[in-house]
């Protein structure tokens, strides 16, 4: 017998007071007695006393029927529900896109333990939240006599945060184990709240990875490249100078193999295309008195960015724009930015803002950056590039070459000026890295565990329920129809008052 729970017990008890209605009708709406003419009233007093002493309830069955109707309606108002057996919630092992079978070897004991616990294994991908369950044998676990070949999803994940969140929404209430590399390149944007049932099984990273970030032709016979060496603890950049390649074909830059294309002026490392720059970048900061504090912070950050580029940029500052073309114009003025700059990337910051209490935490930073004032209006045709912890845009891009910072770099607006992450953030804009760069820096474990979304089991029973209120209302309706039929028949056959 399965237990029954009442959602509104107090309301049901109050409704049960309605039993007073049929009880009052039963006590006060008595059927009148018969009138009998007698010749003498000598014995009436004694007869009346005997009648009162032998008084017995009349129409008790009809009263009980009416009371049952009220009781059933009171029980229905309490919304009873019968708890049914809880179906077994099988845990899910979610494989990140791009993983190969060889990468499962170090995790074989942990995966085999999950298999014995009844977990299912699924592939995460960018098309749907979850794929169909895979056979454990395809991963080389369990009975491999009829193992199918495992075909991993070779399309890398643009945002592993969102894939895991979508998977958690599609199978609520189940424990999830995410098998994924914890490289920073797998996580973009703000971290969404995840259920408490999500656990992470990190794939061990390689010892180090090297790749070419950018390359420059400083002289007709000279090539300078910025080579990055990524390790679990961080990424180190190195400038390497060598002679210009004589012809198209394979070249090695700092031990990194690449393909040189003189006609397209590019280097190719695998599927990555690295453009060759032929002149030093030209950046100009134009500010007024109201934005002077932001200008000082921005100039210091730009100099830090320029120190790691293969060719030092030309950074100028002043209200008057230089005559030559610019790669970037940082317009820190209340007046509108100049138009007709099709080849120039324009950066603007907020002119007005409201007080807020939010933060911005780039991936890989140890602590969030507080934001004190923010322009909460969205640009028309603008796309958020940086988001705050509350989901508001911090940096928006209006295609193709307009950037708008919804706050300022000055103290009193934000603490971006005190954050060591600011030069790195600007570097990704001023010198965009090649896509799919093999950055293996690891995401801190603290960013995997919080914030959490309350699991379903934390706020309500997970057992399925069968609602009983509709059946109680139906039973009350049937009894009410029977009561009306019975009462009408008794009224029709009730003897009339006798007369003599």
């Amino acid at each position: 017998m399965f237990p029954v729970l009442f959602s509104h017990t107090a309301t049901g008890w109050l409704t049960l007071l309605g039993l007073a209605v049929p009880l009052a009708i039963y006590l006060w709406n008595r059927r009148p007695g018969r009138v009998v003419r007698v010749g003498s009233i000598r014995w009436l007093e004694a007869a009346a006393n005997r009648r009162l002493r032998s008084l017995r309830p009349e129409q008790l069955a009809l009263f009980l029927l009416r009371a049952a109707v009220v009781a059933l309606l009171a029980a229905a108002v309490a919304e009873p529900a019968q708890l049914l057996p809880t179906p077994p919630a099988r845990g899910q092992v979610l494989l990140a896109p791009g993983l190969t079978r060889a990468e499962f070897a170090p995790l074989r004991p942990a995966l085999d333990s999950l298999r014995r616990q009844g977990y299912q294994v699924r592939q995460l991908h960018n098309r749907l939240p979850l794929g169909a369950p895979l056979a454990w044998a395809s991963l080389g676990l369990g009975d491999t006599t009829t193992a199918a070949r495992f075909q991993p999803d070779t399309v890398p994940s643009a945002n592993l945060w969102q894939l895991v969140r979508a998977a958690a929404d599609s199978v609520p209430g189940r424990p999830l184990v995410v098998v994924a590399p914890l490289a920073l390149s797998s996580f973009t944007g703000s971290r969404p709240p995840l259920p408490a049932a999500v656990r992470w099984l990190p794939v061990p990273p390689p010892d180090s990875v090297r790749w070419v970030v950018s390359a420059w032709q400083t002289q007709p016979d000279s090539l300078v490249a910025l080579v990055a060496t990524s390790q679990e603890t961080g990424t180190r950049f190195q400038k390497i100078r060598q002679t210009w390649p004589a012809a198209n074909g394979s070249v090695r830059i700092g031990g990194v193999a690449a393909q040189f294309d003189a006609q397209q002026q590019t280097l190719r490392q695998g599927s990555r295309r690295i453009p060759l720059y032929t002149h030093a970048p030209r950046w100009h900061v134009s500010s007024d008195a109201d934005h002077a504090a932001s200008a000082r912070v921005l100039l210091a950050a730009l100099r830090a960015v320029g120190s790691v580029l293969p060719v030092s940029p030309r950074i100028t500052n002043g209200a008057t724009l230089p005559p030559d073309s610019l790669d970037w114009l940082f317009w820190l003025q209340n007046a509108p930015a100049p138009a007709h700059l099709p080849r120039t990337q324009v950066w603007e910051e907020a002119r007005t803002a409201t007080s807020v209490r939010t933060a911005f935490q780039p991936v890989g930073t140890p602590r969030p950056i507080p934001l004190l004032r923010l322009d909460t209006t969205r640009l028309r045709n603008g796309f958020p590039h940086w988001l705050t912890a509350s989901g508001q845009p911090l940096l928006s891009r209006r295609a193709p070459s307009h950037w708008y910072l919804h706050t300022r770099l000055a103290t009193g607006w934000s603490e971006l000026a005190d954050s060591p992450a600011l030069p790195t953030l600007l570097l990704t804009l001023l010198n965009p890295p090649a896509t799919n760069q093999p950055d293996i820096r690891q995401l801190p474990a603290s960013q995997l565990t919080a914030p959490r979304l309350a699991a379903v089991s934390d706020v309500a029973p997970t057992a399925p329920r069968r609602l009983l209120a509709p059946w109680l209302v139906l039973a009350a309706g049937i009894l009410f129809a029977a009561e009306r039929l019975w009462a009408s028949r008794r009224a029709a056959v009730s003897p009339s008052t006798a007369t003599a």
Side-chain angles (χ1 to χ4, degrees):
M1 191 67 182
F2 303 116
V4 177
L5 296 180
F6 292 88
S7 301
H8 305 286
T9 308
T11 306
W13 281 111
L14 291 176
T15 309
L16 197 60
L17 295 178
L19 286 175
V21 175
L23 180 61
I25 296 175
Y26 176 73
L27 294 177
W28 299 105
N29 192 20
R30 301 295 302 277
R31 180 170 59 87
R34 299 177 57 187
V35 177
V36 180
R37 294 183 178 274
V38 297
S40 175
I41 61 173
R42 181 178 179 181
W43 310 105
L44 288 180
E45 183 177 357
N49 292 335
R50 287 194 302 271
R51 182 184 179 94
L52 291 175
R53 286 194 299 268
S54 62
L55 181 64
R56 292 177 298 178
E58 299 178 5
Q59 301 181 10
L60 179 60
L62 188 59
F63 165 72
L64 295 178
L65 189 60
R66 292 168 176 169
V69 173
V70 177
L72 288 175
L73 292 178
V77 171
E79 295 186 5
Q82 185 180 22
L83 295 182
L84 302 177
T86 304
R90 302 188 66 178
Q92 305 292 312
V93 175
L94 308 178
L95 304 179
L99 293 180
T100 62
R101 183 170 175 175
E103 294 178 277
F104 300 143
L107 307 177
R108 185 183 181 91
L111 293 175
D112 200 45
S113 175
L114 294 173
R115 178 188 61 82
R116 290 193 298 268
Q117 297 176 34
Y119 276 67
Q120 292 179 327
V121 59
R122 297 174 183 263
Q123 173 75 69
L124 286 174
H125 48 70
N126 296 328
R127 296 179 298 276
L128 294 173
L130 277 182
L134 304 175
W136 282 102
S138 63
L139 305 181
L141 300 172
D143 184 9
T144 59
T145 56
T146 59
R149 181 178 178 84
F150 172 64
Q151 297 180 351
D153 191 341
T154 57
V155 179
S157 170
N159 191 348
L160 195 56
W161 287 132
Q162 298 301 329
L163 291 185
V164 176
R165 176 62 185 273
D169 292 341
S170 62
V171 284
R174 297 192 184 188
L176 304 178
V177 177
V178 183
V179 181
L182 300 186
L184 294 182
S185 57
S186 300
F187 302 87
T188 58
S190 301
R191 173 192 54 203
L194 297 175
V198 175
R199 293 185 297 155
W200 296 81
L201 189 59
V203 174
D207 294 336
S208 63
V209 176
R210 290 170 61 86
W211 76 96
V212 178
V213 178
S214 57
W216 305 75
Q217 185 182 8
T218 55
Q219 297 177 2
D221 60 346
S222 179
L223 173 66
V224 178
L226 183 64
V227 179
T229 303
S230 180
Q231 297 177 331
E232 184 176 350
T233 56
T235 301
R236 180 173 56 88
F237 295 91
Q238 180 183 8
K239 296 179 183 179
I240 298 178
R241 183 184 298 271
Q242 66 183 50
T243 58
W244 188 261
N248 297 340
S250 299
V251 295
R252 296 191 66 86
I253 303 175
V256 179
Q259 293 290 327
F260 174 67
D261 188 337
Q263 182 178 2
Q264 299 293 332
Q265 292 290 292
T266 59
L267 288 174
R268 291 186 180 273
Q269 183 183 358
S271 60
R272 297 170 51 248
R273 178 179 175 275
I274 306 150
L276 295 174
Y277 297 96
T278 58
H279 66 274
R282 292 180 290 270
W283 305 337
H284 182 77
V285 179
S286 180
S287 62
D288 55 16
D290 190 27
H291 298 257
S294 296
R296 288 192 295 269
V297 175
L298 183 59
L299 285 171
L302 292 179
R303 295 188 183 100
V305 172
S307 64
V308 300
L309 295 181
V311 176
S312 299
R314 293 169 51 190
I315 305 175
T316 56
N317 180 27
T320 304
L321 299 184
D324 53 350
S325 60
L326 298 172
D327 295 295
W328 277 86
L329 171 61
F330 297 90
W331 187 259
L332 308 182
Q333 296 191 28
N334 292 327
H340 308 295
L341 298 173
R343 299 183 179 180
T344 303
Q345 299 287 326
V346 180
W347 167 293
E348 291 187 84
E349 66 177 11
R351 299 180 180 89
T352 61
T354 57
S355 298
V356 296
R357 298 186 64 181
T358 185
F360 169 57
Q361 185 170 11
V363 175
T365 55
R367 66 179 186 89
I369 303 172
L371 303 174
L372 307 178
R373 302 186 66 185
L374 194 69
D375 183 1
T376 56
T377 59
R378 292 180 179 267
L379 291 179
R380 177 179 296 182
N381 301 327
F383 302 92
H385 189 73
W386 298 343
L387 289 175
T388 66
S390 55
Q392 298 169 312
L394 176 60
L395 179 66
S396 299
R397 180 177 185 180
R398 186 163 56 194
S401 59
H402 185 94
W403 300 83
Y404 183 75
L405 184 68
H406 291 256
T407 186
R408 295 187 186 181
L409 303 178
T411 305
W413 286 68
S414 69
E415 295 188 11
L416 288 167
D418 300 326
S419 174
L422 180 59
T424 304
L425 293 172
L426 292 177
L427 177 62
T428 60
L429 299 177
L430 302 173
N431 184 43
T435 57
N436 304 334
Q437 63 175 351
D439 189 351
I440 62 172
R441 288 178 295 166
Q442 298 296 286
L443 189 73
S446 59
Q447 296 195 24
L448 293 173
T449 56
R452 288 185 178 273
L453 186 67
V456 177
S457 58
D458 296 338
V459 296
T462 57
R465 299 180 177 188
R466 178 186 293 130
L467 298 180
L468 302 179
W471 299 101
L472 294 177
V473 173
L474 178 61
I478 295 175
L479 292 184
F480 180 74
E483 183 271 339
R484 288 291 84 197
L485 181 61
W486 191 350
S488 61
R489 286 185 177 181
R490 289 187 63 88
V493 302
S494 177
S496 60
T497 303
T499 60

